[in-house]
């Protein structure tokens, strides 16, 4: 590891950083020991737990848990039926006006989706405690029990890749990483945090209205929504994750020595979900204009000094405009003033669009398809769309092929070595100790991690493995 990177990590170890992005990278760094992550998670979680607002939190008593969640679930389903009725009567989409906005949403939730399930990682250490098996089961299902086509992180990565949105991390502010940092910290939290983990899980596994509407509207826009659909089915309250998350608490609570302390910690963990920017807020604050500005600012860095000096906009050449990204907004205003961009009309009438989209355009290739889709929707506004970038209709099949046929020499070597060690391990305890590091949030979606999840599942829940 380069010295500078090492120094940065050591600094992170010493203090709780203000920066959530760095914290996420810290927990996802395979070179940092689990022990160091355990220490960091505790100090970070205590700080975040201090921030939760418990005063107005609605949370049932332990004996009312199931009834309360069933009632919440019913309210959500009824609200969804109202939404469907409104749409059937000709009402507009409520979340995504266009594909560009859907892309903005998928980008902004990406930090969280890249660690899907992470808050439950520590559960796999308790494989020999049956009381916690429901928690482990949820985690293993988040990992797709080792199948790339069912692993939630693999599925989301693949979705973004197919859409051309895999450079999402270039466009996001630190606040979008807060929930991801919390989830990772819970995943590395010591045993004393189990009630908080269960409380967090309890909220996270319930069916939210935004998931149902997102699933519906993404599919309507022609975007593969199977990742979202999967969370409607696998998290169901009858026998899915929502059901298990309640069972888990009921079972564990009865054995906890100090019931009141357990209940308070459970509630606090539940409340951790309110920190940071959630899906509903992201949807409410979608702003394609700002998003396009970010894309253009990023391009400005590589675009300056590349243009000739023939085109002048308001006394400045393109190179001069692009020389500092802060000028991008003003530059756009002049582009619109000189009708290079005609907002609210067919983008084909905009010279800027033809330059970036036409194969013979002088800027063709500067923006990938996803970026062009976003820019197209930004220019046209309410003008009907005639351009579609979507070419990812066979996502699941493609992912299956990629995971079946991909080959990595070094991971194959490690795989062979690890397999031999596990096969020669004297007992289940030794096998589990070998497998658990590969089930970590940074590793479980890689080849070795997927294999480890399969072996772990086979050892603990053989009935889950389909032959
Ligand atoms: Fe998930
Ligand atoms: Fe789940």
């Amino acid at each position: 590891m380069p010295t500078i990177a090492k120094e940065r990590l050591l600094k992170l170890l010493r203090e709780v950083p203000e920066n959530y992005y760095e914290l996420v990278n810290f927990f996802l760094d395979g070179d940092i020991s689990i022990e160091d992550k355990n220490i960091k998670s505790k100090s970070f979680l205590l700080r975040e737990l201090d921030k939760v607002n418990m005063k107005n939190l609605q949370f049932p008593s332990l004996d009312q848990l199931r009834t309360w969640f069933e009632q919440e679930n019913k309210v959500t389903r009824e609200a969804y039926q109202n939404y469907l009725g409104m749409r059937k009567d000709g009402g507009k989409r409520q979340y995504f006006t266009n594909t560009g906005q859907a892309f903005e949403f998928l980008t902004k939730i990406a930090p969280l989706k890249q660690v899907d399930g992470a808050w439950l990682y520590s559960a796999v250490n308790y494989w020999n405690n049956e009381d916690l098996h429901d928690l482990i089961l949820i985690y293993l299902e988040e990992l797709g029990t080792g199948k790339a086509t069912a692993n939630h992180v693999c599925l989301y990565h693949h979705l973004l890749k197919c859409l051309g949105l895999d450079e999402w991390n270039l466009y996001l502010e630190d606040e979008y990483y807060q929930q991801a940092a919390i989830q990772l910290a819970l995943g590395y939290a010591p045993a004393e945090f189990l009630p908080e983990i269960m409380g967090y899980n309890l909220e996270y596994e319930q069916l939210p209205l935004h998931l149902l509407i997102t699933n519906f509207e993404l599919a309507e826009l022609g975007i593969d929504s199977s990742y979202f659909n999967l969370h409607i089915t696998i998290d169901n309250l009858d026998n899915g994750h929502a059901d298990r998350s309640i069972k888990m608490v009921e079972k564990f609570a009865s054995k906890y020595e100090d019931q009141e302390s357990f209940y308070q910690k459970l509630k606090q963990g539940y409340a951790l979900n309110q920190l940071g920017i959630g899906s509903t807020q992201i949807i409410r604050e979608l702003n394609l204009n700002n998003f396009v500005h970010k894309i253009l600012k990023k391009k400005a860095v590589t675009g300056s000094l590349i243009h000739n000096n023939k085109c002048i906009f308001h006394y400045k050449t393109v190179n001069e405009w692009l020389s500092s990204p802060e000028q991008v907004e003003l530059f756009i205003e002049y582009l619109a003033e000189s009708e290079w961009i005609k907002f609210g009309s067919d983008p084909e009438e905009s010279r800027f669009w033809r330059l970036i989209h036409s194969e013979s355009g002088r800027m063709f290739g500067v923006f990938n398809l996803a970026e062009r889709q976003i820019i197209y929707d930004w220019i046209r506004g309410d003008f009907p769309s005639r351009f579609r970038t979507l070419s990812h209709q066979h996502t699941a099949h493609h992912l299956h092929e990629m995971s079946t046929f991909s080959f990595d020499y070094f991971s194959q070597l490690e795989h062979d070595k690890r397999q031999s060690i596990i096969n020669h391990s004297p007992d289940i305890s030794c096998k589990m100790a070998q497998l658990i590091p590969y089930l970590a949030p940074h590793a479980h979606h890689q080849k070795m991690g997927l294999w480890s999840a399969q072996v772990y599942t086979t050892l603990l829940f053989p009935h889950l493995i389909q032959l």
Side-chain angles (χ1 to χ4, degrees):
M1 189 189 304
T3 318
I4 296 179
K6 205 156 214 164
E7 274 173 13
R8 185 181 61 79
L9 289 175
L10 286 172
K11 188 167 172 277
L12 283 175
L13 277 174
R14 280 194 295 272
E15 58 199 55
V16 177
E18 287 305 312
N19 188 328
Y20 295 114
Y21 172 77
E22 286 198 337
L23 208 50
V24 167
N25 285 338
F26 170 86
F27 284 118
L28 289 179
D29 191 323
D31 287 338
I32 297 176
S33 73
I34 290 186
E35 292 72 28
D36 287 336
K37 289 178 184 175
N38 292 155
I39 295 167
K40 177 64 69 191
S41 83
K42 185 171 176 175
S43 53
F44 173 65
L45 280 175
L46 290 175
R47 192 186 77 173
E48 293 301 291
L49 283 165
D50 248 10
K51 294 180 189 168
V52 296
N53 177 4
M54 301 298 290
K55 260 192 198 154
N56 304 320
L57 183 75
Q58 291 188 316
F59 192 74
S61 58
L62 282 176
D63 58 342
Q64 286 297 310
L65 220 51
R66 186 166 289 274
T67 318
W68 195 74
F69 281 117
E70 277 171 357
Q71 183 55 29
E72 292 275 296
N73 189 279
K74 188 163 171 266
V75 170
T76 302
R77 285 182 283 119
E78 283 170 355
Y80 184 55
Q81 289 310 308
N82 288 340
Y83 165 84
L84 290 177
M86 181 276 289
R87 295 301 312 278
K88 205 174 164 207
D89 293 341
K92 285 184 175 174
R93 272 191 297 276
Q94 278 195 348
Y95 284 9
F96 313 120
T97 312
N98 50 49
T99 308
Q101 276 201 337
F103 282 5
E104 183 186 347
F105 170 73
L106 293 173
T107 301
K108 288 183 169 172
I109 60 169
L112 197 55
K113 302 307 173 190
Q114 72 164 341
V115 298
D116 198 0
W119 66 95
L120 291 174
Y121 171 50
S122 70
V124 295
N125 293 305
Y126 312 116
W127 57 270
N128 52 355
N129 182 343
E130 260 196 59
D131 288 339
L132 292 166
H133 276 195
D134 275 316
L135 218 51
I136 299 175
L137 262 172
I138 298 176
Y139 188 62
L140 291 175
E141 285 182 355
E142 297 286 330
L143 271 49
T145 61
K147 287 189 286 295
T149 45
N151 178 296
H152 295 191
V153 174
C154 286
L155 284 169
Y156 203 76
H157 275 165
H158 193 68
L159 173 65
L160 292 185
K161 202 171 169 196
C162 290
L163 293 170
L165 293 169
D166 38 345
E167 290 199 8
W168 51 270
N169 48 353
L170 300 169
Y171 302 121
L172 302 180
E173 287 89 6
D174 196 48
E175 55 201 352
Y176 293 99
Y177 292 87
Q178 185 173 358
Q179 268 296 320
I182 290 172
Q183 292 196 354
L184 286 162
L186 286 169
Y188 281 100
E192 67 200 72
F193 283 90
L194 266 173
E196 284 91 343
I197 292 170
M198 286 183 199
Y200 186 89
N201 187 52
L202 205 49
E203 209 280 349
Y204 206 82
E205 297 293 357
Q206 304 307 316
L207 179 71
L209 180 62
H210 66 75
L211 180 65
L212 292 165
I213 298 180
T214 297
N215 182 44
F216 185 88
E217 295 199 358
L218 289 179
E220 197 174 41
L221 285 162
I223 297 171
D224 179 6
S225 65
S226 51
Y227 174 86
F228 298 89
N229 198 66
L230 174 70
H231 284 84
I232 296 169
T233 53
I234 206 168
D235 290 350
N236 80 77
L237 187 56
D238 179 50
N239 65 354
H241 294 180
D243 167 57
R244 281 206 210 109
S245 68
I246 299 170
K247 261 192 207 154
M248 181 72 255
V249 171
E250 289 169 341
K251 206 188 292 176
F252 204 74
S254 63
K255 300 192 177 179
Y256 211 82
E257 216 173 287
D258 184 344
Q259 288 274 307
E260 185 51 29
S261 154
F262 174 80
Y263 181 67
Q264 290 308 327
K265 282 155 123 330
L266 187 78
K267 245 168 100 171
Q268 281 200 309
Y270 182 87
L272 273 178
N273 280 282
Q274 68 188 215
L275 299 181
I277 302 183
S279 292
T280 312
Q281 190 184 345
I282 289 175
I283 290 160
R284 212 174 34 236
E285 294 174 359
L286 287 174
N287 185 327
L288 210 53
N289 200 40
N290 288 348
F291 201 58
V292 170
H293 288 183
K294 275 184 198 156
I295 294 174
L296 295 179
K297 279 177 185 171
K298 182 181 146 262
K299 299 288 176 188
V301 177
T302 43
S304 66
L305 300 178
I306 272 183
H307 296 77
N308 65 40
N309 292 319
K310 283 183 194 161
C311 280
I312 309 282
F313 295 91
H314 204 78
Y315 315 116
K316 282 188 192 174
T317 65
V318 175
N319 282 329
E320 283 168 338
W321 277 113
L322 299 182
S323 63
S324 116
E326 293 73 48
Q327 299 186 99
V328 159
E329 280 150 49
L330 198 57
F331 183 39
I332 292 168
E333 275 183 36
Y334 288 121
L335 284 173
E337 202 174 85
S338 53
E339 300 204 327
W340 275 53
I341 298 177
K342 293 182 184 173
F343 287 110
S345 56
D346 184 349
E348 286 299 334
E349 292 173 18
S350 289
R351 195 167 168 185
F352 175 71
W353 171 252
R354 293 198 302 274
L355 274 178
I356 64 166
H357 181 59
S358 160
E359 280 179 17
S360 58
R362 313 249 336 231
M363 287 171 67
F364 183 73
V366 170
F367 297 91
N368 73 13
L369 272 176
E371 289 164 338
R372 273 185 275 154
Q373 175 73 61
I374 292 166
I375 291 171
Y376 181 87
D377 286 330
W378 169 66
I379 295 176
R380 77 178 173 89
D382 291 333
F383 190 86
S385 173
R386 288 193 287 159
F387 170 68
R388 287 180 80 75
T389 62
L390 307 175
S391 57
H392 59 280
Q393 303 303 330
H394 306 294
T395 295
H397 175 66
H398 186 220
L399 178 58
H400 174 69
E401 293 211 316
M402 292 290 286
S403 60
T404 309
F405 297 115
S406 74
F407 178 76
D408 176 332
Y409 175 73
F410 291 107
S411 69
Q412 189 63 44
L413 280 184
E414 190 184 1
H415 177 277
D416 294 345
K417 190 174 134 203
R418 194 64 42 191
Q419 193 168 24
S420 159
I421 292 173
I422 288 165
N423 287 341
H424 292 97
S425 294
D427 54 40
I428 186 170
S429 171
C430 294
K431 289 185 203 291
M432 290 307 202
Q434 290 291 333
L435 294 167
I436 286 169
Y438 292 96
L439 306 183
H442 69 276
H444 68 74
H445 45 93
Q446 313 285 348
K447 195 158 187 155
M448 187 61 209
L450 291 166
W451 178 81
S452 300
Q454 278 182 35
V455 179
Y456 184 101
T457 310
T458 312
L459 288 169
L460 208 56
F461 308 108
H463 65 282
L464 283 184
I465 296 291
Q466 288 172 7
L467 296 172

